[in-house]
Amino acid sequence: AIVTATDKNEPLVLLKITKKSPAPERLKALTYAHSLNGQELIIQNSSKELLEHESIDFDIVVPQKLAQSVSAHKGNVLAKDIQMPTRLQTNSGSIEVVNAHNSIDAQVEDKGSITVRNTHARTKVQTNSGAISIYDSHHSVIAQTNQGGIILYAKQVPST
């Protein structure tokens, strides 16, 4: 899972990586590389293999003044207390957004649900196969799913 949050008092990007296994004695060492590509910080796992029932969690704290884009090949993404424009993407897994005060663009490429709670800016969500739930939206919403339902509870959404 990837968990990302904003901290207005934090000048640095903070990253905590946790690998979980039911058999800790079998844990292989993980190596992560990071690089700067223009304005992007890219963090990659050099080991692509996980044993059965193993998982890797990323906890990321981002300074408020930066825009963020989070992409997962497979797994869940949680973004909370968002103060900057944010793009979230996973090929397979769920996306959850809680307390967004800037624009959100969330996309599940294959199969997975999207849940958004308490947004105060433009919200755009899309999944190929899965449910979309949006609660307490205070701004414009664009939601699309090819297979699945859409639930929307909004407050004072402006007409378009």
Side-chain angles (χ1 to χ4, degrees), residues 66-129:
L66 299 178
Q68 70 176 334
S69 177
V70 176
S71 179
H73 175 68
K74 182 178 180 182
N76 301 330
V77 177
L78 168 62
K80 55 186 178 180
D81 301 323
I82 300 301
Q83 302 292 331
M84 75 289 259
T86 300
R87 174 150 173 42
L88 308 167
Q89 189 268 333
T90 184
N91 289 336
S92 178
S94 67
I95 295 176
E96 183 175 1
V97 177
V98 180
N99 298 330
H101 297 276
N102 211 316
S103 62
I104 295 293
D105 186 353
Q107 182 177 19
V108 177
E109 295 284 336
D110 189 20
K111 185 175 182 180
S113 63
I114 299 174
T115 303
V116 179
R117 298 177 191 281
N118 195 28
T119 59
H120 296 272
R122 181 193 58 80
T123 302
K124 181 178 179 184
V125 294
Q126 178 182 358
T127 181
N128 184 46
S129 177

Side-chain angles (χ1 to χ4, degrees), residues 5-94:
T6 303
D7 186 341
K8 67 180 178 180
N9 298 318
E10 183 57 57
L12 303 172
V13 174
L14 303 177
L15 172 65
K16 176 184 169 189
I17 302 171
T18 307
K19 184 174 180 184
K20 298 177 183 176
S21 174
E25 66 278 2
R26 296 188 329 177
L27 285 176
K28 294 180 181 178
L30 294 176
T31 303
Y32 285 86
H34 70 279
S35 61
L36 289 174
N37 180 7
Q39 297 279 333
E40 297 179 337
L41 172 63
I42 300 168
I43 301 167
Q44 294 179 316
N45 176 6
S46 61
S47 172
K48 305 257 190 255
E49 295 181 19
L50 286 177
L51 299 174
E52 187 176 352
H53 303 294
E54 288 184 343
S55 65
I56 301 173
D57 291 343
F58 295 85
D59 293 304
I60 305 168
V61 177
V62 181
Q64 181 175 323
K65 62 184 177 182
L66 299 178
Q68 70 176 334
S69 177
V70 176
S71 179
H73 175 68
K74 182 178 180 182
N76 301 330
V77 177
L78 168 62
K80 55 186 178 180
D81 301 323
I82 300 301
Q83 302 292 331
M84 75 289 259
T86 300
R87 174 150 173 42
L88 308 167
Q89 189 268 333
T90 184
N91 289 336
S92 178
S94 67

Side-chain angles (χ1 to χ4, degrees), residues 141-158:
V141 173
I142 299 171
Q144 177 184 349
T145 180
N146 294 328
Q147 295 178 337
I150 298 174
I151 298 173
L152 171 65
Y153 296 97
K155 292 183 179 178
Q156 301 175 353
V157 175

